[in-house]
């Protein structure tokens, strides 16, 4: 819209929300330009091994950093959890930390899990592996299909074994 400030949108899900006037936007922003993709912004969901969580369903009742309010990470987390059958306002204790703070809280035992949209490999995840054991939460095909039905710009991305402390490949989205 003419005269609107530059939104600085860096993620497809945020651009889609702006274009369609969905949360966190109050109206549509149709004067949008795209420069291109510089690198994959990868949704990474990790849990402290001590939490016992190995799947999204296992995060029920856990303390999970889902991203700052209004961020692309939060929007993606809310969608992923909803399509996996979990309500982020009822089924988990949703914390609104950025990944740096969330990583520190996980290392200190104040969070069970954290989600972030980061490049791969992410230095903050590598750093965490030096002090705690992590489980890497898979986004299974049935959830990916639901995500793509709602937001077709998401695609599968496989993070190879050994990228972090993961002994097996794990599936996520970008």
């Amino acid at each position: 819209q003419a005269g609107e400030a530059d939104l600085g949108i860096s993620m497809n899900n945020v651009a889609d929300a702006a274009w369609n006037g969905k949360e966190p936007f109050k109206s549509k922003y149709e004067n949008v330009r795209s420069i291109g993709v510089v690198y994959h912004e990868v949704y990474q969901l990790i849990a402290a091994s001590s939490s016992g969580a190995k799947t999204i369903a296992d995060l029920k009742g856990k303390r999970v950093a889902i991203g700052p309010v209004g961020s692309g990470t939060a929007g993606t987390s809310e969608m992923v959890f909803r399509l996996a059958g979990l309500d982020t306002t009822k089924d988990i204790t949703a914390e609104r930390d950025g990944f740096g703070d969330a990583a520190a809280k996980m290392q200190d035992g104040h969070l069970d899990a954290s989600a972030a949209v980061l490049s791969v490999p992410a230095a903050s995840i590598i750093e965490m592996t030096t002090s705690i054991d992590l489980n890497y939460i898979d986004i299974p095909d049935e959830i990916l299909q639901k995500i793509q039905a709602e937001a077709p710009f998401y695609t599968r991305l496989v993070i190879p074994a050994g990228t972090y402390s993961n002994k097996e490949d794990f599936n996520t989205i970008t």
Side-chain angles (χ1 to χ4, degrees), residues 123-166:
S124 52
I125 295 176
I126 292 169
E127 178 187 333
M128 289 175 62
T129 65
T130 66
S131 61
I132 63 173
D133 291 330
L134 297 175
N135 290 336
Y136 302 89
I137 308 296
D138 200 69
I139 307 294
D141 289 341
E142 58 271 13
I143 295 175
L144 173 64
Q145 290 169 357
K146 291 177 185 179
I147 291 168
Q148 289 177 325
E150 191 169 297
F153 45 82
Y154 282 99
T155 61
R156 164 70 68 223
L157 187 122
V158 177
I159 297 179
T163 300
Y164 301 114
S165 58
N166 56 313

Side-chain angles (χ1 to χ4, degrees), residues 27-50:
S27 63
K28 293 182 178 187
Y29 290 85
E30 295 177 340
N31 185 12
V32 177
R33 291 181 187 95
S34 176
I35 294 172
V37 175
V38 178
Y39 61 90
H40 285 284
E41 295 204 339
V42 181
Y43 185 75
Q44 297 174 71
L45 183 56
I46 58 170
S49 292
S50 61

Side-chain angles (χ1 to χ4, degrees), residues 6-142:
D6 178 9
L7 296 175
I9 295 171
S10 64
M11 293 177 57
N12 288 342
N13 63 326
V14 179
D16 182 71
W19 180 263
N20 290 297
K22 297 180 196 171
E23 287 293 326
F25 300 94
K26 296 187 187 324
S27 63
K28 293 182 178 187
Y29 290 85
E30 295 177 340
N31 185 12
V32 177
R33 291 181 187 95
S34 176
I35 294 172
V37 175
V38 178
Y39 61 90
H40 285 284
E41 295 204 339
V42 181
Y43 185 75
Q44 297 174 71
L45 183 56
I46 58 170
S49 292
S50 61
S51 73
K54 295 182 179 178
T55 67
I56 297 171
D58 293 341
L59 294 172
K60 186 172 185 173
K62 306 289 186 199
R63 301 164 297 172
V64 183
I66 63 170
V69 173
S71 69
T73 299
T76 302
S77 292
E78 290 162 358
M79 177 185 61
V80 167
F81 278 81
R82 177 175 47 79
L83 295 175
L86 295 178
D87 184 327
T88 58
T89 65
K90 297 176 186 172
D91 295 324
I92 64 171
T93 301
E95 301 290 337
R96 296 301 186 149
D97 297 297
F99 198 71
D101 290 339
K105 286 182 178 181
M106 279 185 64
Q107 289 172 300
D108 292 341
H110 300 295
L111 281 176
D112 299 305
S114 181
V117 175
L118 302 166
S119 60
V120 175
S124 52
I125 295 176
I126 292 169
E127 178 187 333
M128 289 175 62
T129 65
T130 66
S131 61
I132 63 173
D133 291 330
L134 297 175
N135 290 336
Y136 302 89
I137 308 296
D138 200 69
I139 307 294
D141 289 341
E142 58 271 13

